Amino acid sequence: MSENVTLIIRFRLVGGEDVSVMSGDFDGEPEAVAAISRAVDERRSLVLMQARYEREDDVHGVVINLANVVSVRVSKTDSAEAGQYL
């Protein structure tokens, strides 16, 4: 991961499943929330260049189709109580 903050981004899908991605693409939670909100408003996918899907060891680029996402939570910690869903 880069020098940026590692964030846990949880996506709640239309079917009720939660998908977790660890990302080092942002300087902090406000920047991540703004980028995700902008992508939702513009009806486009979210592109992460430094992400780990569901705690994989390797860092990958990930494209997330936000059309199937009901809500998103951004947090520095990984717990059910952390962060706010958008």
Side-chain angles (χ1 to χ4, degrees):
M1 294 279 177
S2 73
E3 297 295 322
N4 289 349
V5 175
T6 300
L7 297 173
I8 311 304
I9 305 173
R10 300 192 103 160
F11 299 91
R12 169 81 39 107
L13 305 180
V14 172
E17 177 187 3
D18 273 355
V19 176
S20 180
V21 176
M22 293 179 70
S23 175
D25 285 83
F26 305 104
D27 291 331
E29 293 175 23
E31 182 186 341
V33 170
I36 295 165
S37 298
R38 198 168 35 255
V40 169
D41 286 346
E42 296 172 0
R43 297 178 187 242
R44 61 181 175 83
S45 296
L46 179 66
V47 178
L48 302 172
M49 297 306 298
Q50 302 173 41
R52 288 188 236 168
Y53 174 73
E54 296 289 345
R55 301 204 179 273
E56 289 180 343
D57 291 334
D58 296 329
V59 175
H60 303 282
V62 177
V63 178
I64 299 164
N65 179 357
L66 296 173
N68 298 322
V69 174
V70 175
S71 57
V72 180
R73 179 180 290 169
V74 177
S75 178
K76 292 180 185 175
T77 59
D78 191 15
S79 72
E81 297 82 29
Q84 296 280 338
Y85 273 107
L86 299 176

